[in-house]
Amino acid sequence: MLTYSIVDLKVPLTYLTIMPTATSISGWSLLNVGPATTTFTEPASCATAYRTVIAPATDPSLPLWNVHCPWVPPADCNPSGSIVQSIISSAEGTNPTDGLFIVYQSPGLVCPSGQATVGAAEKPNPTSISVSGAFNLSDAIPTGGSYTVFFEPQLDVFLAALDPGETAILCCPSSYTPGNGGCYSTLPSSAFTPTTGCGYEGPEANYGTVNGTWTIGGQTITGGLLTVTGTIPMSAVTTSFAPSEVTSYVGVALEGMGILVHQSSDIVTASATSSAASSTASSTTSGTSKPNSALRVKGNGDIQGVVIAIWCLFFILGARLVV
């Protein structure tokens, strides 16, 4: 199990308060990087500041290689940029457990500007949960053959951590497609042609299996659930693509999927804050107009009671096995 200390993360303690109450589950650490109660607008330069990966042309949602190793997102391209940048930078190493974290924001109420809601989950009580959209999409888990070995999809892990009364909403850039826990957009061959890729490989000794029958993403799977149990350093590896292979792969722009979590009381509090801010603004006699930084609650199709989580690329940081 991965546990970050304040020194490891180099971020303020106030950003590590957790909602849900769980701070770890199934070997994953859950890190709350702060609230998202106003609409974040990223700089125009962020439109091309995505992680570029290489995936099979038949399934662009399943990256196999990074284009740049290591890769860290620009600090100004997400609501808690420097904090997220520090966390991901800490994970861009050779320890296989360093990628076992899920970053999210709470309380959160709005997706960033230019993003759309792609999934929702609500847990009204301890025994039931309703899901829609990307929460219904799980990583591709092969079910053929006599024995299946797989990692638990990250979104399934997060669902298990929700507390009663909480709602989680997923956000992706409007032009991207949700899939396998992230947001992706296939790059045209005129913009990117795969030539080399990089990643990390770990020895089989770092991984264990828990055998059983599992229900994940609507599938009933009998096999071995992979867990990271060792810390033998992974090795950086590269590969080259021959001209004859190029058409079998595509370049993919990859963005973190936002996980936004809230309770109903957060909306009430935000509404009260917004009303108070509006009242103060209307009584101001200054001739200078100031933008209202309070929550902007949108109409039915857009209101997202939420928390933004930055998807961590576990399959790139530590899930490539050498067996």
Side-chain angles (χ1 to χ4, degrees):
M1 179 184 301
L2 175 66
T3 302
Y4 281 110
S5 69
I6 303 303
V7 174
D8 294 330
L9 291 179
K10 301 181 179 66
V11 297
L13 178 63
T14 53
Y15 284 102
L16 296 179
T17 55
I18 295 295
M19 180 181 78
T21 53
T23 57
S24 65
I25 188 169
S26 298
W28 293 74
S29 290
L30 307 180
L31 302 177
N32 179 5
V33 295
T37 56
T38 58
T39 303
F40 171 77
T41 300
E42 65 182 19
S45 59
C46 294
T48 56
Y50 45 74
R51 183 192 289 257
T52 304
V53 296
I54 299 169
T58 55
D59 189 356
S61 72
L62 213 59
L64 298 178
W65 298 93
N66 272 308
V67 173
H68 303 289
C69 296
W71 181 88
V72 177
D76 59 352
C77 290
N78 64 73
S80 298
S82 59
I83 301 168
V84 172
Q85 188 182 60
S86 178
I87 293 171
I88 293 180
S89 178
S90 298
E92 288 276 338
T94 60
N95 187 330
T97 65
D98 283 352
L100 291 176
F101 62 83
I102 300 174
V103 181
Y104 70 99
Q105 288 185 268
S106 176
L109 297 168
V110 283
C111 288
S113 176
Q115 296 204 9
T117 302
V118 296
E122 183 178 6
K123 189 171 185 178
N125 57 62
T127 60
S128 65
I129 188 168
S130 60
V131 299
S132 63
F135 272 119
N136 276 323
L137 304 176
S138 294
D139 290 357
I141 299 174
T143 56
S146 58
Y147 187 70
T148 299
V149 178
F150 61 95
F151 281 103
E152 183 177 5
Q154 181 177 323
L155 291 181
D156 286 293
V157 172
F158 196 80
L159 282 176
L162 283 180
D163 288 327
E166 291 182 341
T167 295
I169 290 180
L170 305 175
C171 304
C172 275
S174 299
S175 60
Y176 283 55
T177 301
N180 288 308
C183 312
Y184 71 93
S185 178
T186 304
L187 299 173
S189 58
S190 59
F192 179 84
T193 299
T195 55
T196 60
C198 58
Y200 300 96
E201 290 184 342
E204 185 179 3
N206 277 341
Y207 305 90
T209 56
V210 179
N211 298 313
T213 298
W214 318 88
T215 300
I216 294 178
Q219 303 178 71
T220 299
I221 304 161
T222 298
L225 178 67
L226 280 168
T227 59
V228 181
T229 56
T231 58
I232 300 173
M234 297 182 294
S235 301
V237 293
T238 60
T239 189
S240 298
F241 298 91
S244 59
E245 296 180 295
V246 168
T247 56
S248 298
Y249 298 93
V250 292
V252 177
L254 205 57
E255 293 277 7
M257 181 178 286
I259 305 176
L260 309 168
V261 176
H262 79 283
Q263 298 175 339
S264 58
S265 58
D266 297 322
I267 297 177
V268 173
T269 300
S271 297
T273 301
S274 179
S275 297
S278 296
S279 176
T280 301
S282 64
S283 63
T284 300
T285 57
S286 169
T288 303
S289 176
K290 297 182 179 181
N292 183 0
S293 61
L295 171 69
R296 289 186 288 165
V297 178
K298 302 180 181 180
N300 266 348
D302 294 321
I303 182 168
Q304 1 270 358
V306 237
V307 174
I308 293 187
I310 309 304
W311 179 55
C312 177
L313 301 176
F314 176 58
F315 57 83
I316 287 176
L317 298 179
R320 193 185 299 280
L321 296 176
V322 176
V323 295

